[in-house]
Amino acid sequence: TDAHLNLLSKFTKHIVSLRDSDAAGTKATIRDVELCIRHGIKVSVVKLPDGQDPASWLHDFVETEMEQESID
């Protein structure tokens, strides 16, 4: 919402949008981008593979990163 962006803009000038890959998530992502542009905040969008949600993607990402750290 505008109120959220007003508050967030005090702490950051760059937001990453990470939403479900379904139709509702796509609609929310478009809304995120529009709000960020209106508030002068840079926005990056993470496009998830079909069928994956932010929680499962983050879990897989962290697991992969931890495995890489243990290999190095």
Side-chain angles (χ1 to χ4, degrees), residues 8-65:
L8 285 170
S9 68
K10 295 176 183 178
F11 301 100
T12 187
K13 295 297 178 198
H14 184 196
I15 291 177
V16 178
S17 177
L18 177 61
R19 301 283 191 155
D20 287 348
S21 58
D22 61 6
T26 299
K27 185 176 178 181
T29 299
I30 292 168
R31 189 176 59 243
D32 292 346
V33 171
E34 290 171 346
L35 279 169
C36 287
I37 289 170
R38 191 171 27 199
H39 286 269
I41 297 172
K42 180 180 176 182
V43 61
S44 298
V45 175
V46 176
K47 174 142 177 27
L48 297 177
D50 288 337
Q52 206 165 28
D53 63 25
S56 63
W57 179 84
L58 187 58
H59 177 269
D60 293 346
F61 177 79
V62 169
E63 188 174 88
T64 301
E65 288 297 308

